[in-house]
Short mmCIF file of all heavy atoms in Angstrom, two decimals:
data_model
loop_
_atom_site.label_atom_id
_atom_site.label_comp_id
_atom_site.label_asym_id
_atom_site.label_seq_id
_atom_site.Cartn_x
_atom_site.Cartn_y
_atom_site.Cartn_z
N SER B 9 -4.64 42.41 -20.60
CA SER B 9 -4.33 41.06 -20.97
C SER B 9 -3.14 40.52 -20.00
O SER B 9 -3.19 39.42 -19.56
CB SER B 9 -3.72 40.94 -22.46
OG SER B 9 -3.37 39.75 -22.70
N ALA B 10 -2.22 41.36 -19.78
CA ALA B 10 -1.07 41.00 -18.81
C ALA B 10 -1.65 40.76 -17.43
O ALA B 10 -1.21 39.77 -16.79
CB ALA B 10 0.03 42.03 -18.74
N SER B 11 -2.57 41.54 -16.99
CA SER B 11 -3.19 41.36 -15.67
C SER B 11 -4.01 40.13 -15.59
O SER B 11 -3.90 39.34 -14.61
CB SER B 11 -4.13 42.58 -15.34
OG SER B 11 -4.82 42.36 -14.12
N LEU B 12 -4.71 39.78 -16.67
CA LEU B 12 -5.55 38.56 -16.77
C LEU B 12 -4.59 37.30 -16.73
O LEU B 12 -4.81 36.31 -15.97
CB LEU B 12 -6.31 38.57 -18.01
CG LEU B 12 -7.21 37.31 -18.17
CD1 LEU B 12 -8.18 37.15 -17.07
CD2 LEU B 12 -7.90 37.37 -19.49
N ARG B 13 -3.39 37.32 -17.44
CA ARG B 13 -2.47 36.30 -17.42
C ARG B 13 -1.91 35.98 -16.06
O ARG B 13 -1.76 34.91 -15.65
CB ARG B 13 -1.38 36.63 -18.33
CG ARG B 13 -1.72 36.24 -19.90
CD ARG B 13 -0.57 36.35 -20.70
NE ARG B 13 -0.91 37.01 -21.94
CZ ARG B 13 -0.29 37.96 -22.53
NH1 ARG B 13 0.86 38.28 -22.07
NH2 ARG B 13 -0.76 38.50 -23.57
N ARG B 14 -1.57 37.16 -15.29
CA ARG B 14 -1.16 37.00 -14.05
C ARG B 14 -2.06 36.38 -13.08
O ARG B 14 -1.74 35.55 -12.05
CB ARG B 14 -0.63 38.43 -13.36
CG ARG B 14 0.72 38.66 -13.65
CD ARG B 14 1.25 39.95 -13.00
NE ARG B 14 1.46 40.91 -14.02
CZ ARG B 14 0.90 42.25 -14.19
NH1 ARG B 14 0.27 42.60 -13.15
NH2 ARG B 14 1.12 42.90 -15.13
N CYS B 15 -3.35 36.79 -13.21
CA CYS B 15 -4.41 36.20 -12.32
C CYS B 15 -4.59 34.70 -12.66
O CYS B 15 -4.72 33.94 -11.64
CB CYS B 15 -5.72 36.87 -12.67
SG CYS B 15 -6.47 37.73 -11.31
N VAL B 16 -4.56 34.35 -13.83
CA VAL B 16 -4.66 32.91 -14.33
C VAL B 16 -3.55 32.15 -13.76
O VAL B 16 -3.58 31.03 -13.19
CB VAL B 16 -4.89 32.75 -15.78
CG1 VAL B 16 -4.66 31.31 -16.16
CG2 VAL B 16 -6.20 33.28 -16.19
N ALA B 17 -2.23 32.67 -13.89
CA ALA B 17 -1.01 31.98 -13.43
C ALA B 17 -1.06 31.80 -11.82
O ALA B 17 -0.74 30.70 -11.31
CB ALA B 17 0.18 32.87 -13.77
N LEU B 18 -1.58 32.84 -11.10
CA LEU B 18 -1.71 32.73 -9.73
C LEU B 18 -2.63 31.65 -9.26
O LEU B 18 -2.53 30.84 -8.30
CB LEU B 18 -2.04 34.02 -9.05
CG LEU B 18 -0.77 35.04 -8.95
CD1 LEU B 18 -1.33 36.38 -8.48
CD2 LEU B 18 0.29 34.52 -8.10
N ALA B 19 -3.87 31.55 -10.02
CA ALA B 19 -4.87 30.65 -9.76
C ALA B 19 -4.34 29.15 -9.98
O ALA B 19 -4.50 28.27 -9.23
CB ALA B 19 -6.10 30.84 -10.57
N LEU B 20 -3.60 29.02 -11.07
CA LEU B 20 -3.06 27.73 -11.43
C LEU B 20 -1.97 27.36 -10.40
O LEU B 20 -1.94 26.09 -9.94
CB LEU B 20 -2.39 27.59 -12.82
CG LEU B 20 -3.47 27.69 -13.92
CD1 LEU B 20 -2.69 27.83 -15.34
CD2 LEU B 20 -4.31 26.42 -13.83
N LEU B 21 -1.21 28.28 -10.02
CA LEU B 21 -0.18 27.98 -8.85
C LEU B 21 -0.79 27.54 -7.65
O LEU B 21 -0.36 26.60 -6.93
CB LEU B 21 0.66 29.25 -8.75
CG LEU B 21 1.87 28.98 -7.82
CD1 LEU B 21 2.82 28.06 -8.28
CD2 LEU B 21 2.61 30.38 -7.62
N ALA B 22 -1.86 28.19 -7.21
CA ALA B 22 -2.61 27.96 -5.96
C ALA B 22 -3.22 26.53 -6.11
O ALA B 22 -3.13 25.80 -5.08
CB ALA B 22 -3.70 28.92 -5.69
N LEU B 23 -3.87 26.12 -7.25
CA LEU B 23 -4.33 24.87 -7.56
C LEU B 23 -3.30 23.72 -7.39
O LEU B 23 -3.49 22.76 -6.78
CB LEU B 23 -5.08 24.87 -8.82
CG LEU B 23 -5.75 23.54 -9.22
CD1 LEU B 23 -6.97 23.34 -8.24
CD2 LEU B 23 -6.29 23.63 -10.65
N ALA B 24 -2.24 23.99 -8.02
CA ALA B 24 -1.11 23.05 -7.97
C ALA B 24 -0.61 22.93 -6.51
O ALA B 24 -0.29 21.71 -6.17
CB ALA B 24 0.03 23.47 -8.76
N ALA B 25 -0.50 23.94 -5.77
CA ALA B 25 -0.08 23.83 -4.36
C ALA B 25 -0.97 23.04 -3.55
O ALA B 25 -0.67 22.40 -2.60
CB ALA B 25 0.19 25.24 -3.83
N ALA B 26 -2.33 23.10 -3.97
CA ALA B 26 -3.37 22.43 -3.16
C ALA B 26 -3.34 20.93 -3.42
O ALA B 26 -3.61 20.04 -2.64
CB ALA B 26 -4.60 23.03 -3.36
N ILE B 27 -3.06 20.56 -4.71
CA ILE B 27 -3.14 19.22 -5.17
C ILE B 27 -1.91 18.40 -4.93
O ILE B 27 -1.86 17.17 -4.50
CB ILE B 27 -3.50 19.18 -6.66
CG1 ILE B 27 -4.83 19.69 -6.93
CG2 ILE B 27 -3.40 17.75 -7.30
CD1 ILE B 27 -5.30 19.88 -8.35
N LEU B 28 -0.64 18.93 -5.18
CA LEU B 28 0.63 18.20 -5.00
C LEU B 28 0.84 17.51 -3.78
O LEU B 28 1.29 16.28 -3.81
CB LEU B 28 1.72 19.15 -5.38
CG LEU B 28 1.82 19.53 -6.93
CD1 LEU B 28 3.07 20.47 -7.06
CD2 LEU B 28 1.93 18.31 -7.81
N PRO B 29 0.57 18.09 -2.64
CA PRO B 29 0.87 17.28 -1.35
C PRO B 29 -0.12 16.00 -1.21
O PRO B 29 0.38 15.01 -0.73
CB PRO B 29 0.39 18.23 -0.17
CG PRO B 29 0.51 19.57 -0.86
CD PRO B 29 0.14 19.45 -2.23
N HIS B 30 -1.20 16.01 -1.70
CA HIS B 30 -2.15 14.89 -1.70
C HIS B 30 -1.56 13.74 -2.71
O HIS B 30 -1.60 12.59 -2.42
CB HIS B 30 -3.57 15.15 -2.09
CG HIS B 30 -4.18 16.13 -1.21
ND1 HIS B 30 -4.43 15.74 0.09
CD2 HIS B 30 -4.45 17.43 -1.29
CE1 HIS B 30 -5.00 16.86 0.70
NE2 HIS B 30 -5.07 17.82 -0.05
N ARG B 31 -1.03 14.22 -3.89
CA ARG B 31 -0.45 13.21 -4.69
C ARG B 31 0.72 12.59 -4.22
O ARG B 31 0.94 11.46 -4.33
CB ARG B 31 -0.23 14.00 -6.11
CG ARG B 31 0.37 12.91 -7.04
CD ARG B 31 0.47 13.48 -8.45
NE ARG B 31 0.99 12.51 -9.32
CZ ARG B 31 1.08 12.64 -10.57
NH1 ARG B 31 0.67 13.75 -11.14
NH2 ARG B 31 1.64 11.66 -11.27
N ALA B 32 1.61 13.42 -3.59
CA ALA B 32 2.80 12.81 -2.96
C ALA B 32 2.47 11.86 -1.82
O ALA B 32 3.11 10.92 -1.60
CB ALA B 32 3.66 13.95 -2.38
N LEU B 33 1.41 12.13 -1.04
CA LEU B 33 1.05 11.27 -0.10
C LEU B 33 0.52 9.98 -0.69
O LEU B 33 0.92 8.79 -0.15
CB LEU B 33 -0.20 11.79 0.83
CG LEU B 33 -0.63 11.00 1.88
CD1 LEU B 33 0.36 10.77 2.98
CD2 LEU B 33 -1.89 11.68 2.61
N ALA B 34 -0.16 9.95 -1.75
CA ALA B 34 -0.67 8.80 -2.40
C ALA B 34 0.45 7.96 -2.97
O ALA B 34 0.51 6.78 -2.89
CB ALA B 34 -1.66 9.10 -3.50
N ASP B 35 1.46 8.65 -3.53
CA ASP B 35 2.66 8.02 -4.12
C ASP B 35 3.47 7.32 -3.02
O ASP B 35 3.99 6.24 -3.11
CB ASP B 35 3.58 8.98 -4.75
CG ASP B 35 3.00 9.46 -6.13
OD1 ASP B 35 1.97 8.82 -6.57
OD2 ASP B 35 3.52 10.47 -6.68
#
Side-chain angles (χ1 to χ4, degrees):
S9 175
S11 176
L12 181 62
R13 278 189 224 135
R14 266 187 251 130
C15 239
V16 169
L18 285 174
L20 288 175
L21 185 62
L23 182 65
I27 291 175
L28 286 178
H30 297 291
R31 182 172 179 170
L33 181 64
D35 288 345

